[in-house]
Amino acid sequence: MYTAGSADVALFTDAIESSPSANQSSDGNGSAANDGQAGATQDGATATPTPTASPVPDVGSAIATTTLAYAALTDVDRQLEYAMAHWKDYNTAEYGTMNPIGGDCANYVSQTLIARGWKQRSDWYNRDAGAAHSATWTYCPTMDPWLTANAAEFGLTRRSLDERDKVKVGDIVFYDWNDNDSPDHTTIVSEVFTEPDGTIRIKSASHNQDGPYRDLDEMITVQHPGGTAWFHTFDA
């Protein structure tokens, strides 16, 4: 969950094999959170969380054990640390919430970009706990073209859905639920991995629906059939 702290590490001479629990996440990689996270969505839909239980090997058979410390050292570390801290616990004291006026997804994504190192500016801001804010900060249909227009300055590249092999953790996703060329939702990529069959899976953190690891393909096929998505990826 990108939270600073210690992690126990064990070294084994043989591979550890275990069967996934019946409650194993459908993530395919044992993420602590899975596709569905409880919470209200921008369009009123809800999802029910599914518990995850990952098998733990017996460390008594390890030939060595130690503890390593994880710290948020890079811009992406800090961005995801913030995203994980506030996907459920809204930072309303600093940024307010835009749910009463249509949805907080863009507000949340903008906050994670501040944690990444971006600075507020005259054309992108949220002040006085949301009392004053720009549409580029809080409104998807305005934020998306603003990012495109300033892509060179921000070090971003706009990519289509079939360019998912270029997507990394920390990149921005926009979704168009009814494929009318106007975005309805935005999230921050929190996980990218490849299935055994070569399928690239992308998970992201968001508000509306609140969750840390929401599955992109589920969102545009199951939750919003006929939807599509695109990315703004960081060049470095």
Side-chain angles (χ1 to χ4, degrees):
M1 298 294 283
Y2 297 92
T3 302
S6 61
D8 294 330
V9 180
L11 175 63
F12 299 87
T13 56
D14 298 315
I16 302 299
E17 295 183 3
S18 53
S19 300
S21 161
N23 290 329
Q24 182 78 21
S25 164
S26 61
D27 286 351
N29 67 339
S31 293
N34 75 341
D35 297 343
Q37 293 295 324
T41 67
Q42 208 162 349
D43 58 4
T46 58
T48 302
T50 302
T52 297
S54 299
V56 179
D58 178 11
V59 296
S61 59
I63 63 171
T65 59
T66 188
T67 300
L68 297 178
Y70 169 78
L73 301 178
T74 70
D75 292 343
V76 179
D77 287 341
R78 288 184 284 271
Q79 180 188 19
L80 269 293
E81 183 180 43
Y82 183 94
M84 292 302 161
H86 295 290
W87 68 265
K88 184 177 181 181
D89 182 15
Y90 283 32
N91 187 3
T92 55
E94 191 168 3
Y95 297 107
T97 174
M98 303 301 149
N99 282 329
I101 60 172
D104 201 61
C105 62
N107 184 28
Y108 171 71
V109 167
S110 293
Q111 292 170 43
T112 74
L113 295 175
I114 290 293
R116 187 182 177 115
W118 287 28
K119 304 296 183 183
Q120 295 194 39
R121 38 193 273 171
S122 61
D123 60 347
W124 182 70
Y125 60 87
N126 179 322
R127 304 186 184 115
D128 302 322
H133 55 85
S134 65
T136 54
W137 181 289
T138 60
Y139 186 51
C140 288
T142 304
M143 184 182 193
D144 176 52
W146 177 77
L147 291 172
T148 300
N150 294 278
E153 179 182 354
F154 298 150
L156 295 171
T157 298
R158 193 181 192 277
R159 299 189 185 277
S160 63
L161 186 60
D162 59 7
E163 294 180 282
R164 62 175 68 198
D165 61 315
K166 305 294 195 302
V167 175
K168 307 176 299 299
V169 168
D171 289 342
I172 307 164
V173 194
F174 280 90
Y175 305 81
D176 181 358
W177 300 144
N178 54 4
D179 199 11
N180 68 349
D181 298 322
S182 179
D184 301 292
H185 189 47
T186 183
T187 65
I188 284 294
V189 175
S190 55
E191 185 173 45
V192 181
F193 64 96
T194 303
E195 297 279 17
D197 65 1
T199 301
I200 298 174
R201 296 280 296 280
I202 295 173
K203 305 293 182 101
S204 56
S206 69
H207 285 178
N208 313 108
Q209 164 183 337
D210 301 342
Y213 292 102
R214 298 178 62 203
D215 186 81
L216 182 152
D217 291 304
E218 180 176 333
M219 291 165 68
I220 63 175
T221 58
V222 178
Q223 296 177 358
H224 299 276
T228 189
W230 59 91
F231 313 97
H232 292 275
T233 64
F234 285 85
D235 298 334

